[in-house]
Amino acid sequence: GGATEETKGIAITDKEVAGVSQKGPFLTGSLVHLYELNGIDFIQTGKSFAGKTNSDKGDFSISKINLKSQYALLEAHGYYRNEVTGSKSVSQITLNAVTDLENRDRVNINLLTHLAYERIRELVQSDEDVSAAKEQSEKEVFSSFYITGDFAQFEDMDIFNGGEGDAALLAISVLMQGARSEAELSELLALYANDVAVDGTWDDEELKVDIADWAEAVCLKDRFAGIRKNVENWGFGRVPSFEKYAMRFWWYNYGLGLCELKRQ
């Protein structure tokens, strides 16, 4: 395929895209849509493809995808397993992931891809290169949770893999869930995304302290062990060492980063 003025992208022909959709994992039958983006300002072109999750692990695949632009938005909508309670959600939520399909046929939809999307879109609309916009936004999202380092791309992360990025993903999923209902979680994710989209920083100190207070209470009551047990009991794979990143958030939020390192 070649670039077009209307889409500013590379054509995609008969591609199949697979992945997992996770908050905790989305339940069987959750809807997954792929929307073509124009590559200029990441506006949807109106072209879309539909699929659904095949199991309670959240795995999905969408076939026979034909696009004028390799840029796409994936959207998962449905019920999910709550890491904090271990139970299935009462209401449905929606998570997004933006991707470049030119050299990729696997895309995971998770909390981090969702948190980064609005920032990526803001950077692209400000004439930033797409790959550079994704790299910058992912670093900014991690930085807002006091996490630095070299990690896989957000769309490659999976809460049942053993990498450091996977552990950070699970930790942030747990922190944002907290004791919130699905409606409260969706509101929190929107507030975060809109805040970070502006300048790449999370400026809501009151909200950060609220999350840190919850994480501190969970840590001091040794309830992270219970959360780990919840996820292990689902039987979907290895549970990475998320606890250190969850602890890091409340320690660094309280200005106790050096103490946190000594406690690991």
Side-chain angles (χ1 to χ4, degrees):
T4 68
E5 191 64 31
E6 293 81 9
T7 60
K8 192 184 176 183
I10 305 300
I12 299 297
T13 304
D14 290 333
K15 180 180 280 287
E16 180 175 352
V17 174
V20 290
S21 53
Q22 300 173 332
K23 164 43 194 72
F26 279 65
L27 303 184
T28 304
S30 296
L31 300 178
V32 180
H33 286 90
L34 184 149
Y35 301 96
E36 182 182 56
L37 302 176
N38 65 15
I40 300 171
D41 51 14
F42 271 23
I43 299 297
Q44 294 182 28
T45 67
K47 196 169 191 178
S48 66
F49 301 82
K52 62 177 62 176
T53 54
N54 302 313
S55 75
D56 282 355
K57 190 176 180 179
D59 55 301
F60 67 88
S61 64
I62 303 175
S63 59
K64 297 182 179 179
I65 298 170
N66 293 280
L67 307 172
K68 293 181 179 179
S69 164
Q70 77 268 34
Y71 303 115
L73 170 68
L74 281 90
E75 177 185 274
H77 178 77
Y79 297 95
Y80 66 94
R81 290 181 182 268
N82 183 320
E83 308 94 324
V84 177
T85 66
S87 303
K88 298 175 182 179
S89 67
V90 176
S91 302
Q92 301 181 70
I93 65 168
T94 299
L95 295 182
N96 297 324
V98 65
T99 189
D100 179 341
L101 295 176
E102 181 181 4
N103 297 305
R104 173 184 288 276
D105 56 16
R106 186 167 185 84
V107 182
N108 294 336
I109 308 168
N110 56 53
L111 198 73
L112 289 177
T113 63
H114 186 81
L115 295 180
Y117 170 63
E118 291 295 344
R119 178 58 174 163
I120 295 171
R121 184 179 177 189
E122 177 71 21
L123 290 170
V124 171
Q125 291 179 342
S126 300
D127 294 326
E128 182 72 66
D129 175 77
V130 174
S131 61
K134 290 186 68 176
E135 181 178 358
Q136 178 178 334
S137 66
E138 291 184 0
K139 287 182 178 179
E140 290 169 341
V141 169
F142 264 156
S143 179
S144 72
F145 288 92
Y146 310 102
I147 299 172
T148 58
D150 295 322
F151 301 97
Q153 295 185 52
F154 285 174
E155 61 201 286
D156 292 318
M157 294 180 183
D158 182 337
I159 64 173
F160 297 108
N161 284 342
E164 289 301 309
D166 307 308
L169 165 62
L170 181 53
I172 293 170
S173 295
V174 167
L175 289 170
M176 298 299 265
Q177 179 69 66
R180 294 175 178 82
S181 68
E182 292 80 33
E184 291 168 335
L185 172 63
S186 294
E187 181 182 28
L188 171 61
L189 300 183
L191 289 172
Y192 175 98
N194 292 336
D195 187 345
V196 172
V198 177
D199 58 5
T201 61
W202 188 14
D203 300 312
D204 193 333
E205 296 299 329
E206 182 177 351
L207 185 53
K208 286 193 281 188
V209 169
D210 181 62
I211 295 172
D213 288 345
W214 178 85
E216 178 194 24
V218 169
C219 180
L220 296 180
K221 294 178 182 178
D222 198 27
R223 286 175 51 207
F224 281 132
I227 294 172
R228 167 172 287 278
K229 193 66 174 177
N230 290 339
V231 181
E232 289 175 341
N233 285 343
W234 297 338
F236 295 139
R238 177 182 177 183
V239 180
S241 301
F242 72 93
E243 294 90 346
K244 60 186 176 184
Y245 290 111
M247 288 176 61
R248 180 189 299 266
F249 181 80
W250 71 267
W251 276 90
Y252 273 74
N253 193 264
Y254 292 165
L256 302 173
L258 292 176
C259 296
E260 184 269 341
L261 293 176
K262 293 176 182 178
R263 287 168 60 97
Q264 287 189 16

